[in-house]
Amino acid sequence: GYGAPPQQHNQWGGPPQPPPLPVFDTPSREEVAELDKDVPEFQTDSAGCSLVVFRPKELKFKRSRIVQGGAQNVVVVSSVEETLTRFRREVDDAPPPMAMGGMGMGGMGPVQLDTMVKPKGRRSTGSFDLLVKLLKASNTVEADSAVMKALEAALSGEAEAGSDDHDDEKETQDPAEGGEGGEDGGDDEGSPSPVVCQPASQCAHKLEALSAALSEGKLSLDIIEKVIEARAGAVAPLREGTEALVKFVARHSIPTLLFSEGVRDLALQILLAQIPMAGAMAKSLPPTLKLIANPLTLSPPAGPGPGPGPGGGPVVTGLELSATMPPSHTLPVTTRTKNVGTALTDPTVAELVARRQNVLLVGSNPSEASMAQGMTSVGGGPEATVLKVGYLDLTQPDLCGRLAAFESNGFDAVVVGEGSLNYVNDFLTEVATGVAPGAPAQDGQQHLRDSQMAAQAQAANLHLLHAGLS
């Protein structure tokens, strides 16, 4: 043409191919490793409650292992105060159920911070504090007596140790909580419940001081039960989903260990007063539920004949704090002894959880991760799988530090705010049926039948063991 160089053609007669682009965005080894990291996620459960999952991949693996084991291989471990009961007596309106895409862990969407269930109002009262209030309101012990001064000193020591957990506001006592004359009963309302992590020696000293005061107070057990029955829902309301949890574990024969560093009789009444099904069963929890706490001592001993209390009922004479006294588990129950190992010293508990390998732990304090200690001695060994679900109180100071403490103590997920037990109940449903809530049910029918047959076989073996025929 016009002086242009002749065009070069490739071997097929077409125009030449451009040179390949240099590869510059191949992921490095560090970038590949970073993509494999198990990083935290914000999620919501099927009821719209917000939660933080620290290690989603590890949680998915744990869920899969526990689901494969079925209901016949799992034990539920939890605490009464601030886990089965709410942090506060009132909450903002709970968020409506959210339509979640998909099912199971993969179907959970991003957290909706504006739907978080926020606690408000006065703190719920634990079983220990409730008994102290009743003792003060009864006026059966002089306020300036030696035992009451010792109790006040023990409580003030607790307040100093847990000052960060106190409410800023001063609150007055609700007279209906503990009868008449509870003038000074409101001062300890903002103090932390026994669930707050404290040195075991301090917890034991506090229990001993209360036991000594009770020995002089001679409170009637009948009056205590009537007051709690009337006021439990107001002073220690149960977390939403607690009754559903109790019904589910009873229906599927799932052993459930409930701990309290407070007083067993009062913790039991708090539950019975708000769970009609349990209250109707001769005023007792289902046989698969065991409450491990510090029992009251009563006079006279159980047996025929009227007692010295009003109407012939028994009278409270203190707390059982000696391991030589029945029940046979280690006493007192404190932060250090609140675990499966403590419960296993009771032969009925050891029988109940025998040969089970998996644990679902539910707590409201990072220190409650230790409640699973002792499970390796129940046949689970090092293969035992422990899935831990926590509840984060938004009214506590240093929320970031508290959330980090949940993570460092091995919790897998934490429900943020005054959330329900829906996440726990959905997971147990999946364990018992093999199908996540919302998924097609037909695939899990065989799993459910197998799980029920295994539970029935285990119950039959326990019966034979009791009868001495095995």
Side-chain angles (χ1 to χ4, degrees):
Y2 302 93
Q7 189 174 8
Q8 301 294 324
H9 296 275
N10 60 25
Q11 57 180 334
W12 295 281
Q17 295 295 322
L21 292 174
V23 178
F24 66 93
D25 198 29
T26 301
S28 65
R29 182 179 302 175
E30 291 76 13
E31 289 175 321
V32 172
E34 184 181 30
L35 292 175
D36 289 335
K37 283 184 179 179
D38 207 359
V39 297
E41 290 181 0
F42 283 101
Q43 300 178 355
T44 51
D45 64 15
S46 59
C49 295
S50 306
L51 60 148
V52 178
V53 176
F54 297 117
R55 296 165 294 276
K57 295 178 182 178
E58 181 181 336
L59 175 59
K60 184 177 180 180
F61 173 75
K62 286 184 176 182
R63 287 175 65 101
S64 176
R65 287 196 62 174
I66 296 177
V67 168
Q68 288 176 6
Q72 69 274 13
N73 280 321
V74 69
V75 176
V76 178
V77 178
S78 186
S79 60
V80 177
E81 282 87 357
E82 296 195 343
T83 302
L84 297 189
T85 63
R86 296 203 303 248
F87 297 122
R88 298 268 173 172
R89 303 183 184 192
E90 304 171 33
V91 296
D92 288 337
D93 292 338
M98 300 175 63
M100 308 302 298
M103 60 186 177
M105 294 300 295
M108 293 186 174
V111 67
Q112 300 290 328
L113 295 180
D114 57 336
T115 67
M116 195 176 295
V117 187
K118 305 175 183 67
K120 64 179 183 179
R122 301 169 63 187
R123 296 199 72 83
S124 296
T125 306
S127 57
F128 177 90
D129 294 325
L130 185 54
L131 186 54
V132 171
K133 287 176 179 291
L134 290 171
L135 180 63
K136 290 180 178 179
S138 69
N139 293 321
T140 55
V141 184
E142 294 292 335
D144 59 350
S145 65
V147 292
M148 289 303 292
K149 287 181 178 179
L151 178 58
E152 292 291 352
L155 294 176
S156 64
E158 174 199 60
E160 292 173 6
S163 59
D164 289 342
D165 295 307
H166 278 226
D167 293 333
D168 294 332
E169 69 274 15
K170 292 280 185 178
E171 296 170 335
T172 57
Q173 180 177 357
D174 181 353
E177 288 178 21
E180 303 294 332
E183 184 176 86
D184 56 350
D187 293 342
D188 61 345
E189 178 61 37
S191 63
S193 82
V195 160
V196 174
C197 182
Q198 299 169 4
S201 59
Q202 184 178 341
C203 293
H205 178 61
K206 187 180 65 171
L207 291 165
E208 290 169 358
L210 176 58
S211 182
L214 288 171
S215 66
E216 287 196 15
K218 300 294 190 294
L219 292 178
S220 166
L221 182 63
D222 293 340
I223 292 178
I224 292 176
E225 291 179 349
K226 288 178 181 178
V227 170
I228 297 178
E229 183 178 5
R231 294 290 296 161
V235 300
L238 295 182
R239 191 176 297 279
E240 183 181 352
T242 298
E243 183 173 1
L245 172 65
V246 171
K247 290 180 177 179
F248 189 88
V249 297
R251 185 183 311 121
H252 292 275
S253 300
I254 299 176
T256 302
L257 308 182
L258 304 179
F259 292 94
S260 172
E261 296 172 40
V263 183
R264 185 189 187 280
D265 304 72
L266 275 74
L268 176 62
Q269 290 302 319
I270 288 172
L271 295 174
L272 295 180
Q274 301 176 74
I275 302 179
M277 179 271 293
M281 295 175 57
K283 292 187 176 181
S284 64
L285 293 173
T288 56
L289 272 75
K290 298 294 183 180
L291 178 57
I292 297 93
N294 302 291
L296 293 171
T297 57
L298 304 175
S299 178
V315 167
V316 176
T317 58
L319 293 172
E320 291 184 4
L321 302 178
S322 170
T324 62
M325 302 178 69
S328 59
H329 60 66
T330 303
L331 295 171
V333 179
T334 64
T335 303
R336 198 168 293 169
T337 61
K338 189 173 71 172
N339 54 53
V340 174
T342 294
L344 290 178
T345 58
D346 183 340
T348 62
V349 175
E351 215 171 76
L352 193 64
V353 303
R355 295 177 295 280
R356 291 180 180 253
Q357 294 182 327
N358 302 319
V359 181
L360 173 60
L361 184 149
V362 188
S364 60
N365 192 300
S367 67
E368 291 182 335
S370 63
M371 289 192 298
Q373 289 180 358
M375 193 62 196
T376 54
S377 62
V378 191
E383 299 300 321
T385 301
V386 182
L387 193 154
K388 301 174 185 176
V389 179
Y391 282 79
L392 177 65
D393 184 1
L394 293 177
T395 65
Q396 296 285 357
D398 189 18
L399 292 179
C400 291
R402 197 168 180 85
L403 193 61
F406 274 112
E407 181 179 18
S408 63
N409 279 273
F411 277 82
D412 300 284
V414 172
V415 179
V416 182
E418 197 74 272
S420 71
L421 289 171
N422 187 77
Y423 182 82
V424 173
N425 292 336
D426 281 356
F427 175 59
L428 286 175
T429 299
E430 186 176 359
V431 171
T433 65
V435 179
Q442 59 269 21
D443 295 337
Q445 292 303 317
Q446 186 60 43
H447 181 94
L448 175 59
R449 286 192 292 269
D450 293 344
S451 178
Q452 290 175 339
M453 290 180 64
Q456 292 171 359
Q458 185 179 37
N461 289 335
L462 290 177
H463 178 73
L464 291 175
L465 187 63
H466 271 303
L469 302 177
S470 57

